[in-house]
Amino acid sequence: MRIVALAGGIGGARFLRGLKDVVAPGDEITVIGNTGDDIHLFGLKVCPDLDTVMYTLGGGIHEEQGWGRAGETFAVKEELAAYGVGPSWFGLGDKDFATHIVRTQMLAAGYPLSAVTEALCDRWQPGVRLLPMSDDRVETHVRITDERGTRAIHFQEYWVKLHAAVDAEAIIPVGAQTAKPAPGVLEAIAAADVILFPPSNPVVSIGTILAVPGIREAVAAAPAPVVGLSPIIGGAPVRGMADKVLAAVGVEASASAVALHYGKKGAEPSSSREGGDERLVGLLDGWLVDEADADSVAAVEAGGISCRAVPLLMSDPAATAAMARAALELAEQVRR
Ligand code: FO1
């Protein structure tokens, strides 16, 4: 079986670890990773979501934190700070720096990000094929208004420095409109037997991947069933600050609203009607909500999307594996 998953950082990576635990030998998992969170710091290209997937599946992740390397030290960051060179708010560890140096060196030598990611994965052996959504530069910016006025800032500044404490007025995936899907992305979607949306951020992770022209259309046209898992439980994000960026696109932070935002496969999703974006066709055949949101199943099904309520907290490997199993089972149930 060929499984394709679109993934952001921590939530996506943890779900993928559970997915790996339940697939049969010989099954292939292709992960299309969000690169809108990428940032250039200290002359280096940092790809937080690709690295989080690679380290998590490759056994190098800092487990409690969910990002960065286990057993990190911060000598380089401290030395940079001693020169007065920031930003101080973004924690790059020494081991992690090596990854960014290799990546930046290879990019400067002319390799595309997809080839660089493959080379990095040669070391980590994540057990999945990890593809960036695009080889082209895409950077998510967030429009805010604060005491300095209205301005757009990098997503990492919004997320890590400001802790999403200011309202996001708009989410702008700069460069997405002219980006091309990375080699292998459209082919993997077309050839997939199952397509999964892990409980990643629907706006700045999966939404950014879908903003690359061709990817949303390929998912909507794919013969494979598309099943997603809600990142919202009981009206709040499981982790992170997804409610802040959902508000920016006019979507309520609820399990059913996120499903209807993705929309029923082939139909026009509710949230596109006012925006008038003709590219916005619906994507989902199936949706999993947490048992706490069992009362939202009817609303999702009324939108034409098959929905089940199952435990969705990735509290341990067994619970995460059960979520992945439930997603694959739902995919079989909705397969036409
Ligand atoms: N998240 C933080 O909350 N604080 C950090 O200092 C931080 C540094 C960092 C460095 C490398 C990396 O790959 C990820 C890092 N993250 C950090 C996570 C990241 O900012 C976001 O959680 C993701 O981009 C959202 O998916």
Side-chain angles (χ1 to χ4, degrees), residues 9-10 37 48-49 51-52 67 89-92 96 155-156 159-160:
I10 304 171
D37 291 14
D49 286 1
D51 289 348
T52 297
W67 52 267
W89 49 266
F90 201 71
L92 286 184
D96 203 22
F155 169 73
Q156 295 295 349
W159 206 247
V160 175

Side-chain angles (χ1 to χ4, degrees), residues 8-11 34 37-38 41 46-52 55 65-68 77 88-93 96 100 155-156 159-161 163 201 204-205 239 241:
I10 304 171
N34 171 41
D37 291 14
D38 294 5
L41 291 173
V46 182
C47 299
D49 286 1
L50 293 180
D51 289 348
T52 297
Y55 293 154
Q65 202 167 244
W67 52 267
K77 188 170 183 272
S88 57
W89 49 266
F90 201 71
L92 286 184
D96 203 22
H100 312 316
F155 169 73
Q156 295 295 349
W159 206 247
V160 175
K161 184 180 180 191
H163 304 289
N201 190 305
V204 292
S205 298
R239 60 165 311 286
M241 299 148 281

Side-chain angles (χ1 to χ4, degrees), residues 301-316:
E301 296 220 316
I305 301 162
S306 294
C307 187
R308 308 278 181 275
V310 298
L312 285 190
L313 274 180
M314 295 189 279
S315 41
D316 58 52

